[in-house]
Amino acid sequence: MIDLQDKNTCPTLEQVAEVVRNSLFPKFCAEIKEKYKIKEKIEYSACSMEPGWNIKFKKSGKTLCTIYPREAYFTAMVVVGGKEKERVEEILPDCSERMREIYAQTKEGNGQRWLLIDLEDQDELYEDVLRLIRIRSGK
């Protein structure tokens, strides 16, 4: 199995899926790729908070979401900036309780909230993330 901390070996999406070991991961990636007609960009981050390989989905130069692989689940980071804030806050009452908690607990900095959402099941939270990404994409 590949070491996601080894910056000298860029993993494939399939190798990342082997580490995650959750069928939701390839499903999520396929859904984003198909819906937005984009490819993943696998990048190494030396960031002290989250070092290692991550997967970014970008459309027109804008990151729709970044995925941080974990064992048995993954974390999707969706940035809610000034352009998205009003639309996101409009849908929040219809989102899961967990998404509302994540939004409320995430501090705003420079007019943005960097939401870190752990996904392991195709549940309400999963659907909420897809809604946030749709807003982020401008649709």
Side-chain angles (χ1 to χ4, degrees):
M1 193 178 308
I2 194 142
D3 177 4
L4 294 179
Q5 303 301 313
D6 179 3
K7 67 179 175 184
N8 298 313
T9 309
C10 180
T12 64
L13 203 55
E14 293 73 23
Q15 288 172 317
V16 174
E18 287 174 19
V19 173
V20 175
R21 294 187 336 269
N22 183 318
S23 61
L24 191 63
F25 174 76
K27 179 182 178 11
F28 180 85
C29 292
E31 197 165 341
I32 299 298
K33 287 163 65 167
E34 185 178 315
K35 186 171 206 150
Y36 299 102
K37 307 291 183 241
I38 55 178
K39 288 187 186 268
E40 73 278 358
K41 186 168 182 164
I42 301 174
E43 296 181 347
Y44 187 84
S45 172
C47 169
S48 60
M49 187 182 97
E50 197 67 52
W53 292 98
N54 60 54
I55 298 100
K56 288 191 170 136
F57 289 101
K58 295 181 179 185
K59 178 95 176 164
S60 305
K62 182 181 208 175
T63 301
L64 299 182
C65 75
T66 302
I67 297 175
Y68 297 96
R70 316 278 191 220
E71 283 191 33
Y73 71 101
F74 58 98
T75 300
M77 181 178 73
V78 181
V79 177
V80 177
K83 291 179 182 174
E84 299 89 14
K85 183 178 179 178
E86 188 176 323
R87 284 191 58 207
V88 168
E89 290 181 354
E90 280 175 14
I91 68 158
L92 268 180
D94 300 326
C95 289
S96 64
E97 183 177 340
R98 182 68 190 120
M99 178 57 79
R100 291 193 302 271
E101 286 171 3
I102 291 167
Y103 190 84
Q105 292 168 1
T106 303
K107 301 236 183 302
E108 193 171 308
N110 296 329
Q112 298 181 323
R113 287 179 201 246
W114 295 42
L115 306 179
L116 293 167
I117 306 137
D118 294 337
L119 296 174
E120 57 184 315
D121 298 304
Q122 191 170 351
D123 55 10
E124 280 184 280
L125 191 57
Y126 177 87
E127 296 303 324
D128 291 341
V129 170
L130 294 178
R131 292 168 77 186
L132 292 179
I133 292 169
R134 186 169 54 249
I135 291 170
R136 183 107 176 118
S137 76
K139 291 190 176 187

